[in-house]
Amino acid sequence: MTSIGHPTVADGALTTAKWAPDTTDDYFGAPFVDVDEWRTVPVRHRYVHGGFDGTDTLFSFYFPDPSDYDGRFFQHVTPVPQSENLAPLVTDGYNKVGFAVDSGAYFVETNGGGPAAADPFSGLDPTIGAYRANAAAARFSRVVAAELFGTHRPYGYLYGGSGGAYRTIGASENTVDVWDGFVPHVPGTPMAIPNVFSVRMHAQRILRDKFPAIVDAYDVGGDPNALDLTDEETAALQEVTRMGFPPRSWFGWQTMGMHAFSVLYPGVIAMDPTFAADYWNLDGYLGADPTASVHRDRVQMTTTIAALDSRVSTGGGHLTAGGVDESFLHTAAASNAPSTIRLADIPAGWMLGAQLHVQTGAAAGTILRLTSIDADTVTAEPGQDELLTALRVGDEVILDNSGFLAAQTYHRHQVPGPDYTVWDQFRDTDGHPIYPQRPTLLGPIFTQGTAGTLPTGQITGKMIIVACLLDREAFPWQADWYRKRVEDHLSADANDRVRLWYVDNALHGDDDPQEFPDRSVAYVGALEAALRQLAAWVEDGQEPSPTTSYAIIDGQVTVPDSAEARGGVQPVGVLTVNGTPSATVRANVPATVRLEAQAPGDGTIVELLWEAAEPTRPFTPALAVGVEEQRTFEQPGVYFISARISAQVGGDPSDPHARVQNVVRARVTVTA
């Protein structure tokens, strides 16, 4: 790129400058800067904070030293409007500011328009929180960058995951000349909410006693056809799998819980208030079938509050590297409201999703959402402090899961158009729904509230989509659905503007370390690779890694085994014991464990770890590598071995960024 001048602007000088209003969007008044200072955490950068007069929109800019700046910025968008100061909170491992600076970029984040933008009932135009506040900040960041580095137009790249993917896509389709490229990751479709959660809840209820067997069946060396399930259990597993839930991802069944469904469910009932009653009484709904197990699991227990626990409730969740762990779902400030309630009686039944309906006292007529029930003790979701502080010992309450049970099959009554093929299981041979349909499709309403508009595929700029094959919250086929919308719009030019990379063995959130490091990997490396390759694509015309080769059959995305055939950016590997991924060996007899790994394209395998922790024996980084060792198993039983593979996709193999990971497993059955 053309060399950029580096004028000297004194620390703090930006706070006294007078800035012209944004002429593109007159909702935003004149910009102001109230902080302008150098900071050293997480890396050295010039921190600029401010907002726009007459609005609640705030922004933070993180500028590198002039010598580290290459004329671009990365901007992250959260699932819903949050804080403009999230990036510094991640002080270990991956940090967005550090990555941006190491990539020759400054970093931008906003509060998305403020609290009203995050409240769907505030009356604020939803496009402000969806993309307009982010766009105003991006435009002003260029003005500040010109002050700091000389006259130029920085290239801009927007990225976000989950709800942030909706907002990234909405920004791409509804703005011009604000950003040059986009990386939506783990995206949904307009029919994702609440349906991906309802079908999962249905399966979690019916299959709750069979998950250990299901996990084993879908693990390496397992046999799904050998599962011993009842007709109802078989139907539930088939239904959720055909809707797109990755069956290999059930290993997290004990901790996956409700995720966003506890927050979405009240919205479903509010927008469709007669559904629960219809579910329990009308033909065609599961609740009206007297033989269904849902009746066994229904709880409606009248009792009283025996005690209130006054422990401090902080709410909030935690922020992950990828910013998509949905910590926004529970964002209560610290308070002295009770967090747990002891009831006078102990309920019996399937308690996940039950609510507490308050009948008497100051809180009478309200409903308390719960995260867990343990014997006679219930734990309230954060964010309900006003209600919790109104409760008193002796208040009469009803513990009821009727509505939550009803909502678990809501997807059956929300059959969309034929482009959503996973719903074909709920259509007859003529394409008509086999179950009664509700008057309104709620998914597009939820989506529009997040993205400001419904996705059409009419993107501006270039785009790399990153999706994960073990995603339990944004089923993998949904990324392909959006790619097809883009292809419909761009026709033959689609490959010149969009790529889709699938990351195997990766989940929706991007916690690192992973909860199950022997089964899943973080996808931050793929996200970093996408941003860097997108910048090279836009600025220098350098083609990015190809779209992952994949097929979709009955809602499941499958990819080839070899790195060469698969494409994308993820390395692949094979782990064998005595030459096979599922071996039977004798106790106390040495077995040969061999790991083979290959990087995609011209990438380099840079790290191999046994059990995601212990380095293998030394190897020379290369496109393809292999290592082996001898292991002896002393006791009979079934064992699993795992290995984590990391590849650098382009660039310096010693660079800690853009290292894409994968994990492989082998089963060992040890006999006496």
Side-chain angles (χ1 to χ4, degrees):
M1 61 173 295
T2 303
S3 178
I4 300 169
H6 297 146
T8 300
V9 179
D11 297 3
L14 299 177
T15 61
T16 61
K18 299 297 182 183
W19 308 96
D22 187 331
T23 59
T24 303
D25 191 337
D26 60 11
Y27 171 79
F28 299 92
F32 64 85
V33 172
D34 53 15
V35 180
D36 172 21
E37 62 188 22
W38 283 96
R39 295 182 176 180
T40 57
V41 177
V43 296
R44 176 175 164 79
H45 66 276
R46 186 168 185 162
Y47 175 71
V48 176
H49 178 276
F52 297 91
D53 287 341
T55 78
D56 292 328
T57 300
L58 299 173
F59 55 76
S60 290
F61 306 151
Y62 306 80
F63 291 101
D65 277 308
S67 59
D68 294 326
Y69 179 57
D70 290 333
R72 67 180 66 95
F73 70 87
F74 296 147
Q75 182 172 353
H76 181 253
V77 55
T78 49
V80 297
Q82 287 181 271
S83 167
E84 76 281 11
N85 288 306
L86 294 178
L89 298 180
V90 181
T91 57
D92 56 342
Y94 172 73
N95 180 274
K96 297 179 180 66
V97 177
F99 168 69
V101 169
D102 288 347
S103 303
Y106 64 87
F107 182 71
V108 176
E109 61 180 346
T110 80
N111 68 348
D119 181 0
F121 304 106
S122 68
L124 189 69
D125 185 336
T127 62
I128 293 170
Y131 55 84
R132 286 168 59 194
N134 289 320
R139 287 190 293 267
F140 181 60
S141 80
R142 287 193 171 101
V143 176
V144 177
E147 289 290 320
L148 297 179
F149 304 122
T151 302
H152 71 296
R153 180 196 178 277
Y155 292 97
Y157 306 97
L158 187 72
Y159 68 106
S162 190
Y166 283 130
R167 300 173 73 202
T168 300
I169 288 169
S172 173
E173 295 185 353
N174 293 280
T175 64
V176 177
D177 200 35
V178 178
W179 299 281
D180 302 282
F182 306 84
V183 181
H185 51 102
V186 293
T189 70
M191 285 301 298
I193 302 172
N195 303 298
V196 298
F197 298 106
S198 64
V199 72
R200 192 180 90 181
M201 293 295 101
H202 178 65
Q204 285 178 252
R205 180 182 66 82
I206 292 176
L207 298 169
R208 61 187 184 268
D209 296 327
K210 298 298 178 69
F211 279 127
I214 292 170
V215 172
D216 185 73
Y218 283 96
D219 207 340
V220 58
D223 182 8
N225 294 320
L227 282 168
D228 182 16
L229 304 177
T230 67
D231 290 345
E232 183 184 44
E233 291 166 344
T234 298
L237 183 58
Q238 290 177 345
E239 181 174 343
V240 71
T241 303
R242 289 172 179 168
M243 279 291 284
F245 185 97
R248 291 186 294 127
S249 201
W250 282 120
F251 60 80
W253 67 275
Q254 290 178 296
T255 55
M256 69 175 62
M258 296 180 286
H259 195 75
F261 196 59
S262 62
V263 174
L264 297 171
Y265 154 69
V268 172
I269 298 303
M271 287 189 280
D272 193 353
T274 65
F275 175 73
D278 292 347
Y279 172 88
W280 293 105
N281 294 288
L282 298 183
D283 289 342
Y285 294 87
L286 184 63
D289 178 359
T291 66
S293 65
V294 70
H295 296 282
R296 173 200 66 199
D297 291 328
R298 189 180 188 185
V299 176
Q300 291 176 301
M301 184 186 79
T302 301
T303 185
T304 58
I305 295 176
L308 295 167
D309 185 343
S310 59
R311 293 181 303 172
V312 171
S313 174
T314 59
H318 68 285
L319 184 69
T320 64
V324 296
D325 76 322
E326 322 294 35
S327 59
F328 67 93
L329 296 175
H330 308 306
T331 53
S335 78
N336 289 315
S339 59
T340 60
I341 302 166
R342 185 161 57 83
L343 305 176
D345 300 284
I346 299 177
W350 194 71
M351 292 289 99
L352 188 65
Q355 297 177 318
L356 208 60
H357 297 246
V358 184
Q359 303 298 300
T360 63
T366 59
I367 300 174
L368 186 70
R369 301 189 307 275
L370 307 176
T371 58
S372 66
I373 301 174
D374 183 10
D376 62 353
T377 301
V378 302
T379 301
E381 282 189 4
Q384 304 177 94
D385 292 349
E386 184 176 354
L387 170 55
L388 287 165
T389 54
L391 296 176
R392 295 292 182 271
V393 171
D395 286 351
E396 183 177 292
V397 295
I398 298 176
L399 188 65
D400 192 350
N401 66 355
S402 300
F404 192 81
L405 290 173
Q408 291 170 17
T409 50
Y410 198 77
H411 54 279
R412 297 182 179 179
H413 311 284
Q414 292 276 284
V415 177
D419 52 323
Y420 291 95
T421 57
V422 298
W423 267 271
D424 287 350
Q425 62 184 304
F426 307 122
R427 308 183 215 264
D428 62 21
T429 55
D430 294 324
H432 300 130
I434 61 177
Y435 295 113
Q437 295 300 292
R438 306 308 295 174
T440 304
L441 291 178
L442 299 189
I445 298 174
F446 282 114
T447 302
Q448 190 153 8
T450 299
T453 59
L454 294 178
T456 63
Q458 299 184 40
I459 65 171
T460 58
K462 298 181 184 295
M463 179 178 288
I464 297 178
I465 307 167
V466 178
C468 298
L469 291 182
L470 295 189
D471 198 330
R472 307 158 182 160
E473 286 77 44
F475 297 162
W477 63 263
Q478 296 181 107
D480 168 78
W481 181 92
Y482 186 67
R483 178 194 177 202
K484 285 184 168 62
R485 304 290 79 74
V486 175
E487 291 177 341
D488 290 343
H489 170 58
L490 297 176
S491 300
D493 296 329
N495 196 54
D496 295 331
R497 297 273 297 281
V498 67
R499 293 286 195 276
L500 167 55
W501 297 343
Y502 277 112
V503 183
D504 197 12
N505 299 308
L507 303 169
H508 188 71
D510 211 25
D511 304 81
D512 198 9
Q514 296 279 289
E515 181 182 11
F516 300 95
D518 60 337
R519 292 181 178 272
S520 64
V521 296
Y523 63 86
V524 163
L527 183 59
E528 292 181 330
L531 287 166
R532 285 183 170 178
Q533 290 195 29
L534 181 64
W537 195 12
V538 169
E539 298 167 26
D540 303 320
Q542 182 176 327
E543 289 284 330
S545 296
T547 287
T548 303
S549 177
Y550 62 91
I552 301 179
I553 303 173
D554 286 337
Q556 294 299 306
V557 178
T558 60
V559 294
D561 291 333
S562 73
E564 183 178 8
R566 184 177 300 187
V569 293
Q570 188 179 32
V572 301
V574 176
L575 183 60
T576 60
V577 177
N578 290 344
T580 177
S582 181
T584 299
V585 304
R586 296 283 298 274
N588 297 307
V589 175
T592 301
V593 178
R594 179 167 180 80
L595 170 62
E596 297 182 354
Q598 183 172 359
D602 59 355
T604 303
I605 300 296
V606 294
E607 185 177 56
L608 300 174
L609 297 176
W610 296 120
E611 278 69 50
E614 296 296 327
T616 64
R617 64 179 55 187
F619 67 94
T620 300
L623 175 66
V625 301
V627 296
E628 68 179 38
E629 65 180 34
Q630 299 294 305
R631 291 196 186 185
T632 301
F633 301 87
E634 296 180 355
Q635 299 296 326
V638 177
Y639 299 85
F640 288 92
I641 302 171
S642 70
R644 176 169 294 182
I645 306 164
S646 296
Q648 178 60 250
V649 186
D652 183 354
S654 65
D655 189 341
H657 297 295
R659 290 189 168 197
V660 186
Q661 299 178 340
N662 204 345
V663 64
V664 290
R665 288 166 61 82
R667 182 192 297 253
V668 186
T669 302
V670 180
T671 61

